[in-house]
Amino acid sequence: MTLLDSLNPQQKEAVTASDGPVLVLAGPGSGKTRVLTQRIAYLIGQKGIRAHQILAVTFTNKAAREMKERVSDLIGPQFSQGLMLGTFHSVCARILRREVELLPYDSNFVIFDSKDQETVVKTALRKLNIDEKRYRPRSVHSSISNAKNELIRPSEYPTTTYRDEVVKRVYARYQELLIDNNALDFDDLLVITARLIEENPAVREKYAERFQHILVDEFQDTNMAQYTLIKHLASVHHNIFVVGDPDQSIYRWRGADYRNVNRFEQDNPETVTILLEQNYRSKQNILDAAMAVIDKNARRKRKELFSERGAGNKLSYFEAADDYAEANYIVDTILQITNSGAVNPSDCSVMYRTNAQSRLLEEAFLRAQIPYKLVGAQRFYGRKEVKDMIAYLRLIHNPSDQVSLGRITSVPPRGIGKKTLETLYQVAQNAGTSPGAALLDLSRGAKSPYWDSFTARAATSLSNFGHLFTDWRATSDVLTISELFDKVVADIGYLDYLNDGTDEGTDRQDNVLELRRLAEEYDQRTLSEFLENVALISDQDTLKEGQNAATLLTLHAAKGLEFGVVFIVGMDDGILPHSRSFDEPEEMAEERRLFYVGITRAKNHLYLVRSVQRGGRGYAEATYPSRFLDDIPEELMTGKSRAGASRQKSYSWGGGSSRGKKSTTRWTSSSSSKSQSSPTFPKRTRKKIAPAKESKYRMGSRVRHPEFDEGIILNTRADGDDEIVTIVFESVGIKRLAASLAKLEILS
């Protein structure tokens, strides 16, 4: 069998395309990864291109690993050595470290994650005497990030309002602080690389000459910085092969611009466009429903998706009495189909529009004792103890990292309070050095010129910590990463510090040991590589394989995944599509693309579920079916209402933000789908509850807890004179807290 024998005609056309710009519009499940890897193997094995002359970029480490493994299997590891294949961010980090002498950074720069970035914004606001309650750090950083994605510098930031003026000033100070910390944020990795290539002809020529072929995965998700970078890297050979699908562009909120597909064709009039339309994942009924939904979006190049897997079951629809019944229906159905032996729990996935929807689902899964895994809401690398240990290693690697220093100075407590730390920062600033460098010097005790700037007690505490810091720095060049990790943990007594006698304390210790296991995998590599990998890991990269558990995740996190059975919940107007899209046509188009992505994750069976009413603050709120349901042809749907009776379409509306009439569904139960029919639930009556006192908190608000850090309020209810608040924290998951004891700070 030759390299091309396993390809269909469209795939073969793409893999063997001639030199020059090639645009592959790949429908979901059409084998785009196969095409990309086969293209690389074809270039090396058939066209004689050297591996180091090829650049291939994608968006997740998981996708990059899969592509590397496939290429190696196709042509052998000896022929794939030197291939630059990775995520945009990792490739840019490698280029920046090689060209660091042209930048205002040292080669040991670190990469700040989203939490670190917000900390730097807060510092900038404080230094500029700007009230962070009025100008929320998260919102300000979002504006800065959007500007970077469009390659807008601080000096070029457009100002039409006073808030714009504030953001412009914060943006400038934010960048200064990053340089002071010898740190870059995620956006800088892209932006600085794009500018470096664009503004330095020698650098541009070096890389453009080297990369004779450039391949880009998920091209519809690129932003302007990424597009500019790719454009300049392809400026010599013009052999650029991009694969994407504008119908799956769902990351507009983080700068992705599906219009880059159109820009590519405009900038390269000689582009060869190839459609991949054969789907290897889904049954035809699922594809027909997906096409019916996405065809409502205007100004798109239509693809006729087809499958040779047969028509399959009709889509199952269920309308629950309320959101509790919605969750119960899902777990009951999963129990039914898994107990029958038809599927395993790992074949099932539940997808929702917002993370807050996971709470009732998690509770239902726990009650039913169905194993599940939650993607994205509780990232391993976002947990406090994991971030603490990473901060220690980052500071050892880069003493200029003030964010890491501020994080771990008192973890565990060592007699260095907030006032002492502020004095250290001021002393360092006056001396024209970094706080980390001053701390290292204080290890010399009274011989340090900084000693007399502190009280005897504070100076001693700083000196003791500085001595540890100096020792770690001195041994970091001779110890492996895991040995350095062990030394830090032992020197600070971190495992004992975490052991508070509770199950949570044991979990925290286990998380530190799991991070140590990862560090051991990098013992033959550098600390810089380890820290870079940790900084660039995404939620999908932490999704463990082999667990026989159902998967709960947002529709955004579902991109690139597939499951035998998919449940999409919350099919209500205002949830999917989200209410904020009602008055914005482009936002509504993206919501439709998001639904399309969710539909096409299903291989064999798709359930669409909604509830007639949803609760909140003691009120039962009526809902209306998602307008997207009306796009799916009746012959593709089967299902029952909560009352078990056949329902007919009884509504009609336009694209406005409100519905004039409560609706019922229009799909009838067919005898052929009897085995797929679902249990009905009695309507839950929920009376209006008079609160005992005025509620201080509201659903959706962001709050900060002194121990659990930031979280989002999922629910709140009166409890006598107190208030019980249910919050999902990034660090520990869902907690129910008494407001009078929790010491919560309202952030937004």
Side-chain angles (χ1 to χ4, degrees):
M1 178 181 287
T2 68
L3 189 69
L4 305 176
D5 288 345
S6 62
L7 304 176
N8 67 38
Q10 293 171 311
Q11 292 173 333
K12 188 178 296 185
E13 180 186 1
V15 169
T16 61
S18 59
D19 290 352
V22 178
L23 170 62
V24 180
L25 296 179
S30 61
K32 69 177 180 61
T33 303
R34 175 189 293 183
V35 166
L36 281 164
T37 53
Q38 295 269 34
R39 174 69 173 178
I40 295 171
Y42 177 78
L43 290 173
I44 296 173
Q46 301 295 319
K47 302 285 286 184
I49 305 298
R50 300 283 185 87
H52 76 274
Q53 296 173 318
I54 298 174
L55 168 66
V57 286
T58 185
F59 276 84
T60 68
N61 291 296
K62 181 181 178 182
R65 283 195 303 270
E66 181 180 351
M67 289 173 64
K68 283 180 181 177
E69 290 169 1
R70 289 197 189 184
V71 171
S72 180
D73 290 342
L74 286 169
I75 62 175
Q78 69 274 25
F79 295 108
S80 60
Q81 288 294 321
L83 172 67
M84 187 175 279
L85 193 162
T87 64
F88 271 98
H89 291 90
S90 64
V91 167
C92 286
R94 287 158 70 180
I95 292 175
L96 291 179
R97 292 196 194 279
R98 292 176 181 177
E99 309 298 335
V100 73
E101 68 276 1
L102 299 174
L103 307 172
Y105 298 94
D106 295 329
S107 59
N108 62 336
F109 65 76
V110 294
I111 302 167
F112 279 177
D113 64 18
S114 56
K115 194 73 176 178
D116 301 323
Q117 294 163 29
E118 192 172 335
T119 298
V120 177
V121 170
K122 290 178 181 178
T123 302
L125 288 167
R126 186 169 62 250
K127 288 183 176 293
L128 293 170
N129 295 317
I130 296 172
D131 184 2
E132 70 176 67
K133 292 182 179 179
R134 184 176 179 187
Y135 298 97
R136 294 178 297 159
R138 187 181 296 271
S139 175
V140 172
H141 180 263
S142 178
S143 298
I144 293 172
S145 179
N146 290 338
K148 288 186 177 185
N149 287 333
E150 295 297 322
L151 294 176
I152 298 173
R153 304 173 192 267
S155 60
E156 301 165 344
Y157 192 86
T159 55
T160 56
T161 66
Y162 183 70
R163 182 185 182 280
D164 293 338
E165 293 282 357
V166 170
V167 171
K168 183 173 184 174
R169 285 191 288 143
V170 175
Y171 184 5
R173 183 57 64 90
Y174 173 81
Q175 288 303 115
E176 293 171 359
L177 289 170
L178 286 178
I179 293 174
D180 290 345
N181 281 269
N182 193 31
L184 289 81
D185 64 17
F186 295 143
D187 296 318
D188 280 339
L189 290 173
L190 305 174
V191 171
I192 294 176
T193 307
R195 287 187 179 137
L196 180 70
I197 298 292
E198 184 175 42
E199 298 172 0
N200 291 268
V203 176
R204 180 170 66 249
E205 184 176 349
K206 178 171 70 172
Y207 288 100
E209 281 284 2
R210 171 184 167 179
F211 297 126
Q212 295 185 19
H213 286 267
I214 298 173
L215 300 90
V216 185
D217 189 15
E218 303 288 5
F219 188 67
Q220 76 283 346
D221 291 334
T222 55
N223 59 30
M224 183 54 69
Q226 290 160 331
Y227 183 85
T228 300
L229 174 64
I230 294 165
K231 181 178 178 180
H232 287 301
L233 288 175
S235 60
V236 172
H237 297 288
H238 303 288
N239 296 325
I240 180 165
F241 184 95
V242 302
V243 180
D245 182 4
D247 291 337
Q248 296 184 73
S249 180
I250 58 173
Y251 301 120
R252 184 170 179 260
W253 49 274
R254 69 183 189 196
D257 190 347
Y258 71 94
R259 294 173 299 179
N260 281 344
V261 174
N262 295 331
R263 290 190 181 102
F264 181 84
E265 292 182 294
Q266 292 167 3
D267 290 344
N268 302 279
E270 69 279 22
T271 295
V272 174
T273 301
I274 302 168
L275 301 182
L276 299 186
E277 298 173 302
Q278 182 172 353
N279 180 286
Y280 292 89
R281 175 189 301 153
S282 305
K283 298 288 189 178
Q284 191 63 49
N285 281 340
I286 293 172
L287 297 179
D288 289 345
M291 286 187 290
V293 168
I294 201 64
D295 279 347
K296 295 296 190 296
N297 272 358
R299 298 185 301 277
R300 51 178 291 275
K301 187 170 292 187
R302 190 176 191 277
K303 293 180 293 297
E304 188 68 40
L305 303 180
F306 68 95
S307 172
E308 296 181 353
R309 297 191 60 227
N313 296 317
K314 293 184 178 183
L315 281 64
S316 295
Y317 172 81
F318 188 78
E319 184 180 85
D322 60 18
D323 38 8
Y324 290 88
E326 180 182 56
N328 289 336
Y329 164 74
I330 290 167
V331 297
D332 285 349
T333 304
I334 291 177
L335 276 175
Q336 178 184 342
I337 61 179
T338 54
N339 287 341
S340 71
V343 298
N344 293 317
S346 59
D347 295 321
C348 302
S349 174
V350 185
M351 301 177 185
Y352 35 83
R353 177 62 179 83
T354 64
N355 269 314
Q357 291 173 261
S358 73
R359 180 180 67 89
L360 292 180
L361 291 165
E362 286 191 78
E363 292 176 354
F365 272 85
L366 289 170
R367 285 194 301 270
Q369 297 184 331
I370 300 177
Y372 73 92
K373 50 190 175 184
L374 191 65
V375 178
Q378 194 176 347
R379 291 186 66 229
F380 174 79
Y381 294 96
R383 292 166 182 161
K384 183 180 184 300
E385 59 275 9
V386 174
K387 286 181 68 69
D388 286 346
M389 281 307 305
I390 291 173
Y392 270 104
L393 296 176
R394 279 197 344 196
L395 186 63
I396 294 168
H397 179 62
N398 172 28
S400 298
D401 185 351
Q402 298 179 39
V403 172
S404 291
L405 177 62
R407 181 180 185 91
I408 52 88
T409 301
S410 298
V411 179
R414 51 175 59 91
I416 302 175
K418 183 178 179 180
K419 185 176 180 180
T420 300
L421 190 61
E422 289 175 350
T423 303
L424 176 65
Y425 284 2
Q426 189 61 54
V427 166
Q429 182 176 338
N430 293 341
T433 189
S434 70
L439 182 62
L440 288 170
D441 192 80
L442 281 163
S443 67
R444 300 190 295 132
K447 295 180 181 178
S448 171
Y450 311 126
W451 181 269
D452 292 335
S453 300
F454 304 90
T455 65
R457 182 177 179 181
T460 300
S461 296
L462 288 169
S463 181
N464 290 339
F465 185 36
H467 181 76
L468 286 175
F469 188 14
T470 301
D471 187 27
W472 297 331
R473 288 274 296 169
T475 57
S476 63
D477 290 335
V478 296
L479 297 179
T480 66
I481 297 174
S482 63
E483 289 171 343
L484 178 63
F485 189 100
D486 291 342
K487 180 173 176 58
V488 174
V489 169
D491 286 349
I492 65 176
Y494 195 50
L495 292 181
D496 289 337
Y497 167 69
L498 294 175
N499 184 13
D500 57 4
T502 66
D503 290 342
E504 289 82 359
T506 301
D507 288 343
R508 288 192 287 268
Q509 288 180 319
D510 289 343
N511 289 333
V512 171
L513 295 176
E514 175 64 17
L515 181 64
R516 195 263 182 208
R517 185 198 62 76
L518 177 64
E520 193 171 15
E521 294 180 9
Y522 279 77
D523 276 350
Q524 303 304 315
R525 299 167 71 178
T526 66
L527 180 58
S528 176
E529 289 176 292
F530 172 73
L531 293 173
E532 185 174 300
N533 176 74
V534 168
L536 298 180
I537 280 178
S538 67
D539 290 333
Q540 282 196 14
D541 297 323
T542 63
L543 184 59
K544 293 182 179 179
E545 304 290 343
Q547 292 178 287
N548 192 20
T551 301
L552 277 60
L553 72 171
T554 65
L555 287 162
H556 282 101
K559 180 80 172 294
L561 303 177
E562 60 180 39
F563 302 91
V565 181
V566 169
F567 296 81
I568 300 180
V569 303
M571 291 300 304
D572 310 327
D573 246 34
I575 296 181
L576 183 65
H578 198 281
S579 57
R580 62 172 170 254
S581 70
F582 286 163
D583 298 320
E584 293 290 337
E586 190 52 53
E587 292 281 356
M588 181 62 73
E590 179 144 326
E591 292 290 301
R592 190 179 296 280
R593 293 195 293 270
L594 187 60
F595 184 36
Y596 171 80
V597 166
I599 293 173
T600 55
R601 300 310 95 191
K603 295 196 288 187
N604 303 318
H605 206 133
L606 176 65
Y607 291 81
L608 302 178
V609 189
R610 68 171 299 266
S611 64
V612 173
Q613 62 184 21
R614 295 186 182 275
R617 294 207 175 206
Y619 293 86
E621 301 173 350
T623 64
Y624 297 93
S626 168
R627 64 193 68 194
F628 295 159
L629 292 170
D630 202 32
D631 299 333
I632 301 175
E634 295 184 21
E635 62 269 19
L636 298 178
M637 299 285 292
T638 183
K640 290 183 177 180
S641 73
R642 59 191 168 86
S646 298
R647 307 295 292 259
Q648 300 295 328
K649 177 177 176 182
S650 65
Y651 55 82
S652 110
W653 58 75
S657 61
S658 63
R659 302 289 175 86
K661 180 178 180 182
K662 186 175 179 179
S663 61
T664 57
T665 56
R666 54 170 168 51
W667 301 285
T668 59
S669 176
S670 64
S671 58
S672 64
S673 64
K674 191 171 183 179
S675 63
Q676 304 292 334
S677 64
S678 309
T680 59
F681 297 89
K683 181 175 180 179
R684 181 183 302 228
T685 57
R686 304 178 71 184
K687 297 180 180 179
K688 180 177 178 180
I689 301 172
K693 58 183 291 188
E694 182 68 23
S695 177
K696 181 179 179 182
Y697 303 97
R698 59 184 177 83
M699 288 186 294
S701 293
R702 293 195 66 84
V703 294
R704 181 184 287 112
H705 184 275
E707 179 181 355
F708 306 138
D709 206 24
E710 290 189 18
I712 299 175
I713 294 178
L714 299 177
N715 193 18
T716 177
R717 62 177 175 82
D719 184 25
D721 291 334
D722 206 347
E723 189 173 359
I724 302 299
V725 188
T726 303
I727 306 170
V728 58
F729 293 99
E730 182 179 329
S731 59
V732 295
I734 295 174
K735 294 286 185 181
R736 289 178 182 81
L737 306 172
S740 61
L741 303 175
K743 298 180 181 178
L744 297 172
E745 175 190 355
I746 299 175
L747 301 177
S748 63

